[in-house]
Amino acid sequence: MEDDTTRCDVMVSLPMPTHQRLNINFSHGCQNNVVLHAVDFGAKDTDSGQPGGAPAGGGVREVFWSPSEWPGWWRQLASESAGVFSDLQSCDAGQGEAALRLSLLKLSRRYRSCLRASMETVTASDEEDADTHRQLLNSMEMVWNLSEIVLVDQKRGGVVLGQLLDWVRQHATQFDKSAAAVTEAEIPEKHPDYWNTVYGMVLQGRQAAARKLLRLHSGFGTDPFVSADELLRKVPPLAEGADFELRWRHWQAQCVLRLESGEFGYSPRLQTLVKILCGDAVTFEDLYREMGSWYHLMVSYTLYSRPWVGIFELRHAAEDSIEVFGGPSQLSALDQMLQAALDGDIHKLLKTAQATLPDGWLTAHLADLLCRLPDISGAGRPSFLSELRHHLLVEYGSALCASRSLWQLGAVYLDQCGAQGRARLALLLERLDPRTDRRARKIIQMAESRGLSAVASSVAQVMGRRAMAAGQLGTALAWALRSDCSALASQLADTLVKQYTSSGRFASADFVDNLGSSMLKSDRLMFLGKYREFHRLYEEDSLQEAASLLVTLMTSQLAPKYFWRTLLTDALPLLELQPPAFSTAQTYDLMACVEQLRRSGDLDETSEEVRLLRQALADNLWRASIAEDSVAS
């Protein structure tokens, strides 16, 4: 994987007319470019005649920039989640609802595993902003986990409190930290966080941990502590059905009875503890600061007030908890996403996440997952979700393609976006800089495997022209043939022919000798291959065949006119052979070529070379005529 660490600052010069009514206008391009141009806002619109701004001339500039750096943990997240995304696309939507939900739940948990693995990478790093990155990943995991609980892993009757407790425990870890400090204290009950930690464990449904802390108190063993410990031990485990509700109400009635009987009258701390067990609303409001968040308050209060309720009743509890924390106006972006997930408001959830979280990872993958959920209670999926998924995948895939290190992953997402994704991928692949042969071959292979032959040809042409500019004619010719660009192939063949004319030797002779059927892509390339074949025949003493091929090259117009003199020079030793290599007809053809050169002024009649050539042609004609007459008689 290539590194993505380049950053540069560039000042763009935009020529502008000298008068003063101009401003700079811009239009967004594709991901990492923008088009700048000058606009005269004093000019009138040509259609309406109203002032509105018109192009002022002075040029247009398209500005590209390197995408923002992708840290290692983010590249890890993108790479691992792309594999999960690919597996999700092959998920059979035709299986039963229960089987489909189970498959989607497993894939959702794999996505969360990717997030947690990235968090571990950030934690182990020594980056300056590691805390910021860890908080970002933790927020994304919180939103995803809650969406999974509420929307994907729907339980019968909508009872999700047990899952929400696990969710709160995972993300509200302040009581774990304080518990460690309390346990290590010399006198635990004297630690300033002792009782708040006990309350916190109870609020999170961790009665066993709360009992362990109570045992550290010097008063443990007295009647109030024994009674509180017994109540914590007898908390009914969460379950579904009327039997659980009956057992819970009976247990809670015991809590209320013991509290009202004054068993804890001499211990206000234990009174507060038992009031929590009784589900006393005032006590929960007093402890809201210790919980730190409205969703913690919602889950904890529901646990000790009506733990059997479903998701719909929880939404009302969420509204009450939000009011305790100052109302909707005090909600952060994370709070808004969590509330939207709890409410099942997918549109608000994705909209807020797209505006808040970077690079579209969560919105693209979550929308893709939710879009595959089976219909529930005949309500059906929101009609917008499929289109929104399509848009988010295109944007996320485009962002990956704009990265120097993750561009190959972008194609995985754009492949799932129909014609729009195909067109966007073609545009982005064509804009990638094929800095090395290896990278260029990767781009071409990706384009060819998707039928984007025009993109593959364009990239190969770019590489061919770069190689040609560097004087690597053999490499350039190989790229030209791969691009199927006959014009470039002809240009390179011409360059090789001219180089031979000036130096007397062929560059990349081995490559030219093995052109095979590729020489058919260009007349000039065919001439180059046939001329190399002439030399091979000459070297193998197949002189008759070599002479015939040479005449064919000239009479068929395959050979460029400027190269005729070189071909005639090559013919000189063949004209002197006995028996003659050229027939009378072939000799006349060579004489006609000499005459054409004379008429066009490309032949110096006074030169010794021309005199020898004419003499050789005449001698060969005489010998060929005698030989042909002897055969005829």
Side-chain angles (χ1 to χ4, degrees):
M1 186 174 290
E2 301 167 52
D3 193 17
D4 186 9
T5 56
T6 300
R7 175 180 294 174
C8 60
D9 300 317
V10 178
M11 180 175 291
V12 179
S13 175
L14 184 65
M16 297 174 63
T18 55
H19 53 83
Q20 301 298 314
R21 296 180 300 176
L22 298 181
N23 282 314
I24 296 294
N25 201 6
F26 69 94
S27 300
H28 282 293
C30 181
Q31 289 297 322
N32 63 325
N33 71 309
V34 68
V35 178
L36 303 175
H37 57 92
V39 174
D40 184 355
F41 285 99
K44 294 184 178 180
D45 186 270
T46 54
D47 296 326
S48 64
Q50 300 296 320
V60 173
R61 293 290 184 273
E62 189 173 14
V63 182
F64 293 86
W65 61 88
S66 296
S68 58
E69 295 179 9
W70 294 67
W73 62 268
W74 193 269
R75 292 198 297 271
Q76 174 188 340
L77 176 62
S79 299
E80 293 179 355
S81 58
V84 183
F85 175 82
S86 297
D87 291 343
L88 180 55
Q89 307 317 301
S90 58
C91 185
D92 182 13
Q95 56 187 317
E97 179 176 327
L100 178 57
R101 282 197 175 276
L102 181 60
S103 298
L104 294 177
L105 180 60
K106 290 179 179 178
L107 289 163
S108 176
R109 288 171 177 169
R110 286 177 61 189
Y111 275 126
R112 290 200 291 119
S113 295
C114 294
L115 286 167
R116 286 195 294 271
S118 295
M119 273 193 274
E120 291 175 3
T121 301
V122 171
T123 302
S125 72
D126 55 357
E127 296 179 5
E128 183 178 347
D129 46 2
D131 287 341
T132 302
H133 294 158
R134 187 165 47 251
Q135 290 173 11
L136 170 63
L137 286 167
N138 185 62
S139 298
M140 293 167 65
E141 206 276 340
M142 280 186 71
V143 173
W144 190 290
N145 195 355
L146 184 59
S147 301
E148 178 186 291
I149 293 169
V150 176
L151 301 171
V152 181
D153 187 22
Q154 291 190 343
K155 299 295 185 182
R156 182 167 58 87
V159 178
V160 295
L161 186 60
Q163 294 166 284
L164 290 177
L165 275 172
D166 291 336
W167 174 67
V168 165
R169 292 165 188 162
Q170 179 181 345
H171 296 285
T173 59
Q174 66 269 30
F175 298 120
D176 294 285
K177 297 174 183 177
S178 61
V182 167
T183 305
E184 293 173 359
E186 184 176 353
I187 305 177
E189 66 190 80
K190 298 294 185 180
H191 194 283
D193 291 328
Y194 174 78
W195 282 106
N196 282 340
T197 304
V198 173
Y199 300 152
M201 294 301 179
V202 176
L203 290 167
Q204 291 186 358
R206 300 160 69 179
Q207 290 83 11
R211 292 177 64 201
K212 288 181 181 179
L213 290 172
L214 284 179
R215 289 191 181 94
L216 299 177
H217 198 282
S218 59
F220 190 79
T222 61
D223 290 343
F225 275 88
V226 170
S227 179
D229 182 71
E230 181 184 5
L231 292 176
L232 288 172
R233 179 172 55 84
K234 291 184 176 181
V235 174
L238 291 175
E240 297 179 13
D243 181 60
F244 165 70
E245 183 178 346
L246 184 63
R247 285 187 287 111
W248 185 275
R249 289 186 184 278
H250 175 73
W251 168 80
Q252 203 163 55
Q254 288 293 319
C255 295
V256 173
L257 180 63
R258 294 189 186 188
L259 181 65
E260 292 179 347
S261 66
E263 285 191 20
F264 312 101
Y266 296 104
S267 179
R269 296 289 193 177
L270 288 177
Q271 285 184 6
T272 300
L273 174 62
V274 178
K275 285 181 180 180
I276 294 174
L277 300 181
C278 294
D280 182 65
V282 176
T283 301
F284 276 88
E285 290 183 10
D286 290 340
L287 294 173
Y288 82 96
R289 288 189 178 86
E290 279 66 35
M291 287 177 273
S293 62
W294 63 269
Y295 47 85
H296 194 326
L297 175 59
M298 171 197 72
V299 173
S300 298
Y301 182 66
T302 304
L303 172 63
Y304 292 105
S305 58
R306 301 179 66 197
W308 52 82
V309 300
I311 188 66
F312 298 104
E313 289 85 351
L314 271 173
R315 290 167 183 166
H316 296 299
E319 294 175 0
D320 295 338
S321 299
I322 289 171
E323 287 299 327
V324 173
F325 277 83
S329 62
Q330 301 300 313
L331 294 180
S332 65
L334 174 60
D335 291 328
Q336 293 174 26
M337 287 186 279
L338 295 175
Q339 185 186 22
L342 196 64
D343 291 342
D345 190 342
I346 299 174
H347 181 267
K348 182 180 178 181
L349 167 61
L350 296 176
K351 179 181 177 182
T352 308
Q354 185 71 357
T356 306
L357 301 174
D359 300 307
W361 183 92
L362 185 137
T363 50
H365 292 95
L366 188 58
D368 180 57
L369 181 74
L370 297 181
C371 191
R372 299 171 191 279
L373 289 174
D375 295 344
I376 301 171
S377 303
R381 290 190 298 264
S383 59
F384 71 90
L385 190 53
S386 294
E387 295 180 6
L388 184 58
R389 165 195 175 270
H390 184 93
H391 169 74
L392 293 172
L393 287 180
V394 168
E395 291 303 308
Y396 179 67
S398 300
L400 290 176
C401 282
S403 166
R404 295 180 59 189
S405 58
L406 301 174
W407 60 273
Q408 295 175 82
L409 295 180
V412 174
Y413 294 86
L414 295 175
D415 284 343
Q416 305 300 323
C417 300
Q420 184 184 357
R422 178 183 172 86
R424 180 69 68 89
L425 180 60
L427 177 63
L428 292 169
L429 287 179
E430 202 164 21
R431 289 187 171 187
L432 287 173
D433 179 17
R435 299 186 302 275
T436 63
D437 287 1
R438 181 167 176 261
R439 181 180 169 98
R441 284 192 293 270
K442 286 182 179 180
I443 297 172
I444 291 173
Q445 188 276 330
M446 183 178 288
E448 288 177 342
S449 65
R450 291 162 174 79
L452 303 174
S453 54
V455 175
S457 176
S458 174
V459 174
Q461 287 183 57
V462 169
M463 295 303 293
R465 295 193 182 280
R466 284 185 181 178
M468 184 171 63
Q472 302 168 350
L473 298 183
T475 303
L477 188 55
W479 282 115
L481 294 176
R482 186 159 188 177
S483 73
D484 281 328
C485 178
S486 58
L488 180 58
S490 296
Q491 184 181 357
L492 284 163
D494 253 338
T495 303
L496 287 170
V497 170
K498 290 176 180 177
Q499 189 181 73
Y500 175 79
T501 304
S502 61
S503 67
R505 63 181 183 84
F506 268 110
S508 308
D510 291 340
F511 183 81
V512 175
D513 289 342
N514 292 282
L515 283 174
S517 60
S518 297
M519 67 175 67
L520 300 176
K521 295 182 178 181
S522 160
D523 286 347
R524 193 67 84 240
L525 205 56
M526 182 179 290
F527 162 72
L528 188 61
K530 290 296 182 182
Y531 185 58
R532 283 293 301 166
E533 184 180 349
F534 162 77
H535 277 279
R536 181 178 57 80
L537 292 170
Y538 189 88
E539 291 168 0
E540 294 173 355
D541 286 333
S542 302
L543 303 178
Q544 203 80 32
E545 295 177 29
S548 297
L549 181 55
L550 186 143
V551 174
T552 301
L553 290 177
M554 297 187 71
T555 57
S556 65
Q557 305 298 316
L558 274 178
K561 199 75 170 288
Y562 65 79
F563 202 69
W564 279 15
R565 288 187 60 180
T566 303
L567 294 175
L568 290 171
T569 302
D570 290 335
L572 272 173
L574 295 173
L575 287 169
E576 298 173 354
L577 294 176
Q578 182 64 33
F582 294 102
S583 67
T584 55
Q586 290 173 333
T587 307
Y588 280 126
D589 286 337
L590 292 176
M591 288 178 172
C593 291
V594 172
E595 184 61 21
Q596 284 188 47
L597 288 175
R598 186 191 67 79
R599 289 178 180 176
S600 63
D602 295 326
L603 204 63
D604 183 7
E605 289 286 346
T606 63
S607 67
E608 181 65 15
E609 181 184 359
V610 173
R611 187 189 69 78
L612 292 173
L613 178 60
R614 287 191 181 276
Q615 183 64 48
L617 286 168
D619 291 346
N620 186 82
L621 183 61
W622 174 69
R623 290 193 304 273
S625 298
I626 293 175
E628 289 171 9
D629 288 344
S630 298
V631 173
S633 62

